[in-house]
Amino acid sequence: MAMKLWELAGAEDDRLFSPYCWRVRMMLAHKGLSAGTVPWRFTDKEAIGFSGQGLVPVLLDGEREVHDSWAIAEYLDEAYPQRPLLFADAQAHASALFFRLWCERNLHLAILRLVILDIHSHLHDRDKAYFRESREKRFGKTLEEFAAEPTAALAALRGVLDPVRPVLVQHRYASGAAPGMADYILFGAFQWARVVSPIRLLEPDDPVYAWRERMLDLYDGLARKAKAYAVWT
Amino acid sequence: MAMKLWELAGAEDDRLFSPYCWRVRMMLAHKGLSAGTVPWRFTDKEAIGFSGQGLVPVLLDGEREVHDSWAIAEYLDEAYPQRPLLFADAQAHASALFFRLWCERNLHLAILRLVILDIHSHLHDRDKAYFRESREKRFGKTLEEFAAEPTAALAALRGVLDPVRPVLVQHRYASGAAPGMADYILFGAFQWARVVSPIRLLEPDDPVYAWRERMLDLYDGLARKAKAYAVWT
């Protein structure tokens, strides 16, 4: 039975912008697996009620339901151990976990400050109030206030990337010679921005820029073909 | 011919406090290698003039000189490939490099704010003026100003460790099931503090605390036996 992946969509069914869902898309491609997209909006809590929680990605593989991008990665290696592994061993698992936590704590926040209004403008109408209310509560300020200093946010983003740059100068991918979990995690954050916003996050002479191009090319241009702003290329 | 390692010492020859030299000590033990210590002070530039630069660690292995803890790690794997590797593959190299850059950029600064005056007080007299002058120039403030807010620095340190904690809950070491480069890098920073300062950096219920105990026990208690403040145990 084909897999199904519930993915966060904007007003258009094919504007898929969640960084966590993009991780899963890339992970599935890494393993040579595919899954049909079920477009989902923030307020469609009932549609994924079967998962026992209210966030995507949710993967349905036959009868088996898995949610949370990290749990999905672990599941895919467990269920398909003969396909290319996402975690080659405990060391790879530990280092990818650290990378993920670093990314979510630092990079995601910097990018969100730059694209939150673009996200809002691409949401389905039925999601707009939910998104505004939940994010304004989380950040203790209006979306507009949260996005008020894009120049500072862009400088912060570029500073956050400092520890990544030398890795991408020495290695083709954040995971070394071949793409892996660190790449899918990092790329998810950039694709999140690319799908909703024309903002230029990186200068072309940034090693992260060239890496991002390589990621867009992976798996027959999977991410490059997605509905997004193509201003980078 | 036995290896020699030039290591940063305080007033006492055996108060060895450089985080970078501690990395190398642990790396050597990882590979089952030993090296005699040559105590070195910041101002002993001529003593390591043969290395073409002015910082330790400097390793002399027969006729071969290697300096910089990262270059030493790469050298040890290259020269002793039959012994346990520090970098099992390109993925391990890439992830350790990221971890190192993150650690130096974030953790080192947080710890330094807490122990810089203790470092200064343990220095050899001939190093004190050099240390004060070079650090005050680097930070644009006096050592005392740099150290002026220990409560804030301690809170910052504990926040910096956020992405490490879940890794050490799930894995015995930052490198997974067995200690590796990420552990030696992280531990070097804690041992740096331990050798010069009685400050309590971690609470006993912090997963990083239990990990640090494991690191102190490694290699027959190599780091625990060093001249240091034993307040943690």
Side-chain angles (χ1 to χ4, degrees), chain A residues 91 93 105 159 162-163 171 175, chain B residues 91 93 101 105 159 162 171 175:
Chain A
Q91 180 165 8
H93 185 279
R105 186 183 156 85
D162 282 351
H171 295 277
S175 303
Chain B
Q91 181 166 8
H93 186 279
L101 295 160
R105 185 184 158 85
D162 282 351
H171 295 277
S175 302

Side-chain angles (χ1 to χ4, degrees), chain A residues 70 74 86 88-102 105-106 159-160 162-167 170-171 173-177 180-181, chain B residues 70 74 86 88-102 105-106 159-160 162-167 170-171 173-177 180-181:
Chain A
W70 190 257
E74 292 177 333
L86 293 161
D89 52 26
Q91 180 165 8
H93 185 279
S95 61
L97 179 55
F98 174 78
F99 194 87
R100 175 195 136 203
L101 296 161
W102 167 81
R105 186 183 156 85
N106 298 284
V160 161
D162 282 351
V164 174
R165 264 181 217 104
V167 177
Q170 287 192 43
H171 295 277
Y173 294 101
S175 303
M181 281 299 287
Chain B
W70 191 256
E74 293 177 334
L86 293 161
D89 53 25
Q91 181 166 8
H93 186 279
S95 61
L97 179 55
F98 174 79
F99 194 87
R100 175 195 134 203
L101 295 160
W102 166 81
R105 185 184 158 85
N106 298 284
V160 160
D162 282 351
V164 174
R165 265 182 215 102
V167 177
Q170 288 191 44
H171 295 277
Y173 294 101
S175 302
M181 280 299 287

Side-chain angles (χ1 to χ4, degrees), chain B residues 41 88 100 158 185 232:
Chain B
R41 275 86 188 186
R100 175 195 134 203
R158 291 178 182 169
I185 290 164
W232 303 345

Side-chain angles (χ1 to χ4, degrees), chain B residues 143-165:
Chain B
L143 300 186
E144 289 73 16
E145 287 165 349
F146 184 73
E149 298 192 58
T151 308
L154 193 59
L157 168 66
R158 291 178 182 169
V160 160
L161 291 169
D162 282 351
V164 174
R165 265 182 215 102

Side-chain angles (χ1 to χ4, degrees), chain B residues 64-87:
Chain B
R64 175 71 184 266
E65 176 278 322
V66 196
H67 57 267
D68 178 283
S69 64
W70 191 256
I72 291 171
E74 293 177 334
Y75 166 74
L76 292 174
D77 269 3
E78 193 185 298
Y80 302 95
Q82 76 285 13
R83 291 172 176 267
L85 292 171
L86 293 161
F87 305 112

Side-chain angles (χ1 to χ4, degrees), chain A residues 104-130:
Chain A
E104 292 172 10
R105 186 183 156 85
N106 298 284
L107 188 64
H108 279 205
L109 190 66
I111 291 181
L112 190 57
R113 289 173 65 197
L114 291 161
V115 304
I116 198 164
L117 295 176
D118 289 323
I119 291 174
H120 186 262
S121 76
H122 280 92
L123 292 176
H124 196 287
D125 281 344
R126 69 175 183 265
D127 271 3
K128 290 197 174 188
Y130 166 88

